[in-house]
Amino acid sequence: MGAFLLITGCNRSHRPTIAVVPKASADIFWQSVHAGAVKGGWDKRVDIVWDGPPNETDIAGEMKIMETMIDRRVDAIAVAPSDRSAFKIVVDRAAAAGIPVVIYDSGIDTDKYATFVATDNYLGGEMGADRLGEVLHGAGKIVMVKTVPGGASTMAREEGFRHELKAKYPGIQILDERFGMAMISESRKVTENMLTAHPDLNGIFCSNESGSEGAAQTLKSRGNKIKLVGFDSSPMLLALVQEGWIDSLVIQDPFKMGETAVDEAVKALRGEKT
């Protein structure tokens, strides 16, 4: 009686790989997105490849990661584009290669994607304006610590903030707006400069996590408790709220965003309605 050896490939049932590309990887916000994406991968039985640049200003670095994922022939990609115009090239290339793309967190200037997963950032900006208008009783002088040029999500927050302030609180004047470049150190610097240039300020609005922390740390170092309304959440920001250096925060759900982005990528991969 003969003996037979059956050799089979270990890749008999292919497990899909979803690349999840964030704008940055250092902030608590993006770490929470990562955790949500991992949970989405577990739930949907897909492998998650997470890779992003250290900072939101590294547009070229994030685009290079996208190119790598396309060349690697991952099954689907979920990307948070750091620049809505520049990323059109790589998203269109992924679509041409037959790789479904989900856009999350920030918009993009192309329609070559399966779906868009994001917070209503414009509404978030309006909420920030309503809070600052309320605590300043509809009158005062303020400044804005913006995030980065070309970032669709934070630009929408900033525009929503301006629009709501103008519509509901005409007695509040925005004296200055400067970019913190998604870095705590730069946000501290521009806040310091604006406080020096405008010593009679009553309030500050910040459109992201690093801007909120940098501005609040500057107020703390000066002992200046003017009203600050920020965006996003982290243990440090919550501590600054408790200490009174931040009045309030508009908070998203980054964990759910990451989980939903993976869920939508799997649907697109399977040809299901998104």
Side-chain angles (χ1 to χ4, degrees):
M1 188 174 184
F4 296 90
L5 177 65
L6 177 66
I7 301 176
T8 61
C10 61
N11 201 26
R12 186 175 178 182
S13 60
H14 174 67
R15 186 177 170 98
T17 298
I18 311 295
V20 184
V21 183
K23 293 180 184 178
S25 53
D27 291 351
I28 294 293
F29 177 87
W30 296 110
Q31 293 169 18
S32 299
V33 171
H34 185 192
V38 169
K39 181 180 183 297
W42 287 341
D43 291 345
K44 297 298 179 181
R45 293 183 171 85
V46 297
D47 291 330
I48 300 300
V49 179
W50 171 270
D51 193 9
N55 189 271
E56 292 183 28
T57 57
D58 189 3
I59 298 170
E62 189 187 0
M63 289 180 70
K64 185 176 180 181
I65 290 168
M66 274 287 291
E67 295 280 3
T68 299
M69 295 305 174
I70 295 168
D71 292 341
R72 180 175 169 176
R73 300 292 303 176
V74 295
D75 295 288
I77 300 173
V79 60
S82 53
D83 186 285
R84 68 178 306 138
S85 176
F87 270 74
K88 178 182 185 299
I89 299 168
V90 287
V91 170
D92 286 355
R93 186 190 161 207
I99 301 173
V101 178
V102 168
I103 303 297
Y104 73 95
D105 181 66
S106 235
I108 190 169
D109 292 336
T110 182
D111 60 359
K112 304 295 185 183
Y113 59 86
T115 193
F116 178 42
V117 177
T119 303
D120 187 337
N121 287 292
Y122 192 91
L123 175 61
E126 291 180 322
M127 292 171 64
D130 285 334
R131 177 59 184 173
L132 200 51
E134 177 187 339
V135 297
L136 295 183
H137 307 291
K141 299 175 181 179
I142 69 167
V143 295
M144 291 174 61
V145 179
K146 301 187 291 184
T147 306
V148 291
S153 59
T154 51
M155 288 174 66
R157 296 169 199 170
E158 293 149 11
E159 184 57 31
F161 178 84
R162 289 190 208 95
H163 180 268
E164 187 78 352
L165 209 64
K166 184 178 180 180
K168 287 189 178 180
Y169 307 99
I172 297 178
Q173 181 183 5
I174 301 176
L175 298 182
D176 206 345
E177 302 181 14
R178 305 191 190 187
F179 289 108
M181 302 309 293
M183 293 185 286
I184 295 171
S185 58
E186 185 65 19
S187 298
R188 290 192 68 160
K189 178 182 174 181
V190 298
T191 303
E192 186 73 46
N193 291 341
M194 288 191 288
L195 289 171
T196 300
H198 310 286
D200 55 345
L201 287 180
N202 307 107
I204 301 176
F205 174 69
C206 307
S207 62
N208 84 322
E209 178 187 333
S210 56
S212 301
E213 183 172 337
Q217 293 286 9
T218 299
L219 294 181
K220 184 175 181 179
S221 69
R222 282 176 163 240
N224 187 337
K225 286 201 173 183
I226 67 175
K227 299 298 182 182
L228 189 157
V229 174
F231 220 101
D232 292 328
S233 178
S234 71
M236 176 58 74
L237 289 179
L238 294 177
L240 290 164
V241 170
Q242 291 178 336
E243 294 170 12
W245 303 108
I246 296 176
D247 174 80
S248 48
L249 295 165
V250 181
I251 296 177
Q252 307 179 79
D253 189 346
F255 184 94
K256 188 66 176 178
M257 186 184 296
E259 183 180 13
T260 303
V262 169
D263 185 40
E264 292 298 319
V266 172
K267 286 181 182 179
L269 181 59
R270 294 173 179 170
E272 299 174 8
K273 187 176 179 180
T274 59

